[in-house]
Tab-separated table of all heavy atoms in Angstrom:
chain	number	residue	atom	x	y	z
A	1	TYR	N	-9.779	23.369	18.928
A	1	TYR	CA	-10.584	24.145	19.871
A	1	TYR	C	-9.803	24.514	21.128
A	1	TYR	O	-10.070	25.545	21.736
A	1	TYR	CB	-11.861	23.382	20.233
A	1	TYR	CG	-12.970	23.571	19.226
A	1	TYR	CD1	-12.896	23.010	17.956
A	1	TYR	CD2	-14.093	24.325	19.542
A	1	TYR	CE1	-13.909	23.183	17.029
A	1	TYR	CE2	-15.127	24.511	18.625
A	1	TYR	CZ	-15.012	23.938	17.371
A	1	TYR	OH	-16.018	24.125	16.455
A	2	SER	N	-8.835	23.693	21.511
A	2	SER	CA	-8.045	24.020	22.710
A	2	SER	C	-7.157	25.236	22.478
A	2	SER	O	-6.713	25.874	23.431
A	2	SER	CB	-7.207	22.826	23.153
A	2	SER	OG	-6.146	22.582	22.239
A	3	GLY	N	-6.897	25.577	21.216
A	3	GLY	CA	-6.085	26.748	20.905
A	3	GLY	C	-6.874	28.030	20.741
A	3	GLY	O	-6.304	29.090	20.466
A	4	LEU	N	-8.201	27.964	20.918
A	4	LEU	CA	-9.029	29.160	20.762
A	4	LEU	C	-8.960	30.036	22.007
A	4	LEU	O	-8.920	29.539	23.126
A	4	LEU	CB	-10.484	28.765	20.494
A	4	LEU	CG	-10.758	27.990	19.214
A	4	LEU	CD1	-12.244	27.649	19.131
A	4	LEU	CD2	-10.311	28.752	17.978
A	5	SER	N	-8.975	31.327	21.796
A	5	SER	CA	-9.009	32.273	22.916
A	5	SER	C	-10.411	32.290	23.522
A	5	SER	O	-11.368	31.766	22.936
A	5	SER	CB	-8.655	33.679	22.418
A	5	SER	OG	-9.700	34.173	21.596
A	6	THR	N	-10.549	32.916	24.668
A	6	THR	CA	-11.878	33.047	25.277
A	6	THR	C	-12.806	33.854	24.378
A	6	THR	O	-13.994	33.562	24.295
A	6	THR	CB	-11.805	33.675	26.686
A	6	THR	OG1	-11.127	34.913	26.615
A	6	THR	CG2	-11.086	32.756	27.656
A	7	ASP	N	-12.263	34.860	23.686
A	7	ASP	CA	-13.084	35.627	22.736
A	7	ASP	C	-13.571	34.738	21.591
A	7	ASP	O	-14.731	34.809	21.186
A	7	ASP	CB	-12.304	36.809	22.165
A	7	ASP	CG	-12.123	37.938	23.162
A	7	ASP	OD1	-12.873	38.011	24.157
A	7	ASP	OD2	-11.207	38.764	22.939
A	8	ASP	N	-12.673	33.902	21.055
A	8	ASP	CA	-13.060	33.001	19.969
A	8	ASP	C	-14.118	32.004	20.435
A	8	ASP	O	-15.075	31.719	19.708
A	8	ASP	CB	-11.847	32.240	19.436
A	8	ASP	CG	-10.860	33.133	18.713
A	8	ASP	OD1	-11.257	34.207	18.230
A	8	ASP	OD2	-9.672	32.747	18.646
A	9	LEU	N	-13.945	31.462	21.638
A	9	LEU	CA	-14.937	30.532	22.173
A	9	LEU	C	-16.290	31.214	22.340
A	9	LEU	O	-17.331	30.631	22.035
A	9	LEU	CB	-14.463	29.954	23.511
A	9	LEU	CG	-13.305	28.960	23.433
A	9	LEU	CD1	-12.762	28.678	24.827
A	9	LEU	CD2	-13.748	27.668	22.754
A	10	HIS	N	-16.263	32.451	22.797
A	10	HIS	CA	-17.516	33.189	22.962
A	10	HIS	C	-18.190	33.420	21.615
A	10	HIS	O	-19.419	33.290	21.494
A	10	HIS	CB	-17.262	34.520	23.671
A	10	HIS	CG	-18.509	35.192	24.104
A	10	HIS	ND1	-19.176	36.098	23.316
A	10	HIS	CD2	-19.238	35.070	25.242
A	10	HIS	CE1	-20.260	36.512	23.941
A	10	HIS	NE2	-20.317	35.910	25.108
A	11	LEU	N	-17.414	33.749	20.605
A	11	LEU	CA	-17.990	33.939	19.270
A	11	LEU	C	-18.582	32.639	18.728
A	11	LEU	O	-19.602	32.656	18.040
A	11	LEU	CB	-16.936	34.477	18.298
A	11	LEU	CG	-16.514	35.922	18.521
A	11	LEU	CD1	-15.287	36.262	17.676
A	11	LEU	CD2	-17.662	36.872	18.197
A	12	ARG	N	-17.960	31.527	19.035
A	12	ARG	CA	-18.428	30.230	18.518
A	12	ARG	C	-19.650	29.717	19.274
A	12	ARG	O	-20.588	29.214	18.696
A	12	ARG	CB	-17.280	29.211	18.604
A	12	ARG	CG	-17.655	27.753	18.335
A	12	ARG	CD	-18.223	27.563	16.932
A	12	ARG	NE	-18.466	26.176	16.647
A	12	ARG	CZ	-19.572	25.505	16.974
A	12	ARG	NH1	-20.543	26.110	17.640
A	12	ARG	NH2	-19.714	24.241	16.646
A	13	PHE	N	-19.643	29.856	20.619
A	13	PHE	CA	-20.700	29.260	21.442
A	13	PHE	C	-21.582	30.280	22.153
A	13	PHE	O	-22.481	29.899	22.895
A	13	PHE	CB	-20.074	28.335	22.503
A	13	PHE	CG	-19.328	27.179	21.918
A	13	PHE	CD1	-17.948	27.121	21.986
A	13	PHE	CD2	-20.005	26.143	21.302
A	13	PHE	CE1	-17.250	26.050	21.445
A	13	PHE	CE2	-19.323	25.063	20.767
A	13	PHE	CZ	-17.938	25.020	20.835
A	14	PHE	N	-21.296	31.569	21.991
A	14	PHE	CA	-22.007	32.632	22.707
A	14	PHE	C	-21.806	32.509	24.216
A	14	PHE	O	-22.626	32.965	25.004
A	14	PHE	CB	-23.492	32.666	22.336
A	14	PHE	CG	-23.715	32.811	20.858
A	14	PHE	CD1	-24.085	31.719	20.086
A	14	PHE	CD2	-23.503	34.023	20.231
A	14	PHE	CE1	-24.265	31.845	18.717
A	14	PHE	CE2	-23.673	34.159	18.860
A	14	PHE	CZ	-24.069	33.064	18.108
A	15	ALA	N	-20.717	31.862	24.585
A	15	ALA	CA	-20.297	31.687	25.980
A	15	ALA	C	-18.870	31.163	25.944
A	15	ALA	O	-18.432	30.650	24.922
A	15	ALA	CB	-21.192	30.688	26.703
A	16	VAL	N	-18.166	31.288	27.039
A	16	VAL	CA	-16.836	30.678	27.121
A	16	VAL	C	-17.057	29.235	27.533
A	16	VAL	O	-17.174	28.912	28.715
A	16	VAL	CB	-15.919	31.431	28.103
A	16	VAL	CG1	-14.564	30.755	28.181
A	16	VAL	CG2	-15.767	32.877	27.670
A	17	TYR	N	-17.174	28.393	26.546
A	17	TYR	CA	-17.550	26.996	26.734
A	17	TYR	C	-16.417	26.119	26.212
A	17	TYR	O	-15.919	26.328	25.105
A	17	TYR	CB	-18.839	26.720	25.962
A	17	TYR	CG	-19.289	25.292	25.939
A	17	TYR	CD1	-19.667	24.646	27.107
A	17	TYR	CD2	-19.356	24.591	24.741
A	17	TYR	CE1	-20.102	23.327	27.078
A	17	TYR	CE2	-19.795	23.274	24.706
A	17	TYR	CZ	-20.157	22.651	25.875
A	17	TYR	OH	-20.585	21.351	25.846
A	18	HIS	N	-16.009	25.156	27.012
A	18	HIS	CA	-15.001	24.187	26.614
A	18	HIS	C	-15.721	22.851	26.438
A	18	HIS	O	-15.988	22.155	27.422
A	18	HIS	CB	-13.892	24.082	27.671
A	18	HIS	CG	-13.153	25.372	27.841
A	18	HIS	ND1	-12.112	25.752	27.019
A	18	HIS	CD2	-13.319	26.387	28.708
A	18	HIS	CE1	-11.659	26.923	27.387
A	18	HIS	NE2	-12.386	27.346	28.411
A	19	PRO	N	-16.059	22.512	25.191
A	19	PRO	CA	-16.883	21.327	24.963
A	19	PRO	C	-16.171	20.031	25.350
A	19	PRO	O	-14.955	19.916	25.220
A	19	PRO	CB	-17.178	21.364	23.466
A	19	PRO	CG	-16.221	22.316	22.882
A	19	PRO	CD	-15.731	23.210	23.965
A	20	PRO	N	-16.947	19.043	25.799
A	20	PRO	CA	-16.375	17.734	26.131
A	20	PRO	C	-16.092	16.933	24.848
A	20	PRO	O	-16.547	17.292	23.750
A	20	PRO	CB	-17.494	17.067	26.945
A	20	PRO	CG	-18.747	17.673	26.395
A	20	PRO	CD	-18.387	19.106	26.059
A	21	ARG	N	-15.368	15.850	24.984
A	21	ARG	CA	-15.016	15.000	23.849
A	21	ARG	C	-16.258	14.596	23.049
A	21	ARG	O	-16.211	14.524	21.823
A	21	ARG	CB	-14.261	13.765	24.352
A	21	ARG	CG	-13.784	12.868	23.225
A	21	ARG	CD	-12.931	11.709	23.722
A	21	ARG	NE	-12.392	10.975	22.602
A	21	ARG	CZ	-11.282	11.284	21.948
A	21	ARG	NH1	-10.572	12.327	22.307
A	21	ARG	NH2	-10.869	10.552	20.928
A	22	ARG	N	-17.362	14.322	23.717
A	22	ARG	CA	-18.593	13.896	23.028
A	22	ARG	C	-19.026	14.927	21.985
A	22	ARG	O	-19.550	14.563	20.938
A	22	ARG	CB	-19.710	13.650	24.049
A	22	ARG	CG	-21.024	13.267	23.427
A	22	ARG	CD	-20.934	11.910	22.716
A	22	ARG	NE	-22.123	11.709	21.903
A	22	ARG	CZ	-22.135	11.428	20.606
A	22	ARG	NH1	-21.008	11.279	19.954
A	22	ARG	NH2	-23.249	11.281	19.951
A	23	PHE	N	-18.832	16.213	22.254
A	23	PHE	CA	-19.161	17.263	21.280
A	23	PHE	C	-18.406	17.026	19.973
A	23	PHE	O	-18.970	17.116	18.883
A	23	PHE	CB	-18.813	18.639	21.860
A	23	PHE	CG	-18.908	19.756	20.867
A	23	PHE	CD1	-20.115	20.396	20.630
A	23	PHE	CD2	-17.792	20.170	20.145
A	23	PHE	CE1	-20.208	21.426	19.703
A	23	PHE	CE2	-17.874	21.196	19.222
A	23	PHE	CZ	-19.088	21.827	19.001
A	24	PHE	N	-17.122	16.714	20.079
A	24	PHE	CA	-16.293	16.526	18.891
A	24	PHE	C	-16.603	15.206	18.192
A	24	PHE	O	-16.523	15.118	16.969
A	24	PHE	CB	-14.808	16.621	19.271
A	24	PHE	CG	-14.477	17.961	19.863
A	24	PHE	CD1	-14.273	18.101	21.219
A	24	PHE	CD2	-14.402	19.095	19.069
A	24	PHE	CE1	-13.983	19.333	21.773
A	24	PHE	CE2	-14.127	20.341	19.616
A	24	PHE	CZ	-13.915	20.462	20.970
A	25	GLU	N	-16.976	14.203	18.962
A	25	GLU	CA	-17.408	12.942	18.358
A	25	GLU	C	-18.683	13.159	17.542
A	25	GLU	O	-18.821	12.635	16.432
A	25	GLU	CB	-17.622	11.882	19.445
A	25	GLU	CG	-16.331	11.451	20.106
A	25	GLU	CD	-16.540	10.636	21.362
A	25	GLU	OE1	-17.687	10.580	21.879
A	25	GLU	OE2	-15.550	10.052	21.849
A	26	HIS	N	-19.599	13.941	18.086
A	26	HIS	CA	-20.841	14.281	17.388
A	26	HIS	C	-20.531	15.083	16.121
A	26	HIS	O	-21.081	14.810	15.047
A	26	HIS	CB	-21.745	15.068	18.339
A	26	HIS	CG	-23.005	15.586	17.721
A	26	HIS	ND1	-24.031	14.765	17.308
A	26	HIS	CD2	-23.403	16.847	17.449
A	26	HIS	CE1	-25.008	15.505	16.811
A	26	HIS	NE2	-24.654	16.776	16.884
A	27	LEU	N	-19.650	16.047	16.228
A	27	LEU	CA	-19.277	16.870	15.078
A	27	LEU	C	-18.654	16.004	13.980
A	27	LEU	O	-19.015	16.121	12.806
A	27	LEU	CB	-18.291	17.951	15.528
A	27	LEU	CG	-18.016	19.085	14.573
A	27	LEU	CD1	-17.628	20.324	15.363
A	27	LEU	CD2	-16.938	18.738	13.603
A	28	ALA	N	-17.736	15.112	14.347
A	28	ALA	CA	-17.068	14.262	13.363
A	28	ALA	C	-18.035	13.275	12.709
A	28	ALA	O	-17.793	12.823	11.590
A	28	ALA	CB	-15.905	13.522	14.013
A	29	ALA	N	-19.127	12.961	13.384
A	29	ALA	CA	-20.121	12.027	12.853
A	29	ALA	C	-21.307	12.752	12.225
A	29	ALA	O	-22.359	12.157	12.016
A	29	ALA	CB	-20.603	11.107	13.976
A	30	ALA	N	-21.134	14.005	11.891
A	30	ALA	CA	-22.246	14.827	11.397
A	30	ALA	C	-22.996	14.181	10.242
A	30	ALA	O	-24.222	14.216	10.201
A	30	ALA	CB	-21.731	16.207	10.985
């Protein structure tokens, strides 16, 4: 996610959002 452009982040989150570590912990524990 750190390698995504602002356009890519907007497409993923509908905003230029840089998620915190907890987001990725939640994703990995899906």
Side-chain angles (χ1 to χ4, degrees):
Y1 276 70
S2 71
L4 297 178
S5 69
T6 55
D7 286 341
D8 292 337
L9 289 169
H10 191 269
L11 289 169
R12 170 61 175 85
F13 298 109
F14 304 103
V16 179
Y17 174 64
H18 297 277
R21 183 175 186 85
R22 178 65 192 126
F23 171 86
F24 300 105
E25 292 168 348
H26 175 68
L27 193 152

